[in-house]
Amino acid sequence: QCHFDNVRLIRGLCAALRNGSLCSLRLLLCERSYFRPSSMKQFSQVCALLEWGGRKVTLQTYRQGGGFDQMHWKAGIFVTAKGCEVVQGSFNWTDQGEKNFETIVHTEGGLDDDYVRDTKKIFNELWEHERCSVVTALEHSQHMETWRQSNESRKGSRTFG
């Protein structure tokens, strides 16, 4: 499962969306973990990105199964005024990921560099995969309501002895 809840990363992406240094953002997350009530932190961080980014942010989820079980590859392809930066590896983009022993590769180059082109090709193939689907604003709103109700019921059911 791929979680996406590193607060520093989310704040950096929000700032880049606000100041225009990031023109668009495509997120591909595991459907099971995105719509699970236990993933509240990830959901709240994605909400922040969607709020700040508006139409600049597109969210898709993938359904597990059929040989497409785990989204363990994490990659970011960032187009800048100087060219392109690619960040990829096993590093979890979570607060916990900073405490784990993980790998991450960061490279800079032009959009026509083989490494950049190959990474974009892999991402686009995943993005277009039949198991992937766009999360609509309505689905996101419905999930937000479910998440809010789940959170309220947990608070109400706590007893202290």
Side-chain angles (χ1 to χ4, degrees), residues 10-158:
I10 301 294
R11 284 182 183 153
L13 290 171
C14 286
L17 288 164
R18 275 195 310 267
N19 70 25
S21 59
L22 183 59
C23 297
S24 66
L25 178 65
R26 293 188 299 168
L27 293 175
L28 182 58
L29 300 172
C30 172
E31 180 180 69
R32 187 172 63 184
S33 68
Y34 178 70
F35 288 111
R36 185 178 3 178
S38 64
S39 299
M40 288 185 222
K41 184 177 178 188
Q42 172 178 267
F43 181 71
S44 65
Q45 299 300 329
V46 171
C47 285
L49 273 174
L50 292 170
E51 180 181 327
W52 282 107
R55 292 184 179 164
K56 294 179 182 180
V57 179
T58 308
L59 172 63
Q60 283 200 165
T61 58
Y62 71 91
R63 291 181 317 283
Q64 293 176 294
F68 195 47
D69 292 337
Q70 289 285 339
M71 176 59 76
H72 197 67
W73 177 59
K74 291 85 171 182
I77 304 166
F78 305 97
V79 178
T80 66
K82 297 177 185 177
C84 193
E85 294 183 39
V86 175
V87 178
Q88 68 172 324
S90 68
F91 181 80
N92 289 317
W93 294 18
T94 63
D95 292 332
Q96 181 62 38
E98 294 182 16
K99 299 172 186 158
N100 296 341
F101 185 77
E102 302 276 2
T103 61
I104 191 163
V105 176
H106 175 245
T107 59
E108 296 181 23
L111 288 171
D112 56 349
D113 287 357
D114 289 342
Y115 186 76
V116 173
R117 191 173 32 251
D118 291 347
T119 304
K120 285 178 68 173
K121 181 178 183 256
I122 293 166
F123 181 86
N124 287 331
E125 286 172 0
L126 288 170
W127 190 260
E128 298 297 327
H129 195 279
E130 65 186 28
R131 292 188 150 306
C132 293
S133 60
V134 172
V135 177
T136 65
L138 177 61
E139 289 172 317
H140 185 74
S141 296
Q142 290 169 339
H143 182 50
M144 187 181 305
E145 181 60 23
T146 302
W147 176 75
R148 186 187 61 73
Q149 289 174 359
S150 172
N151 196 29
E152 286 177 0
S153 69
R154 266 198 299 280
K155 286 180 184 176
S157 66
R158 292 184 185 153

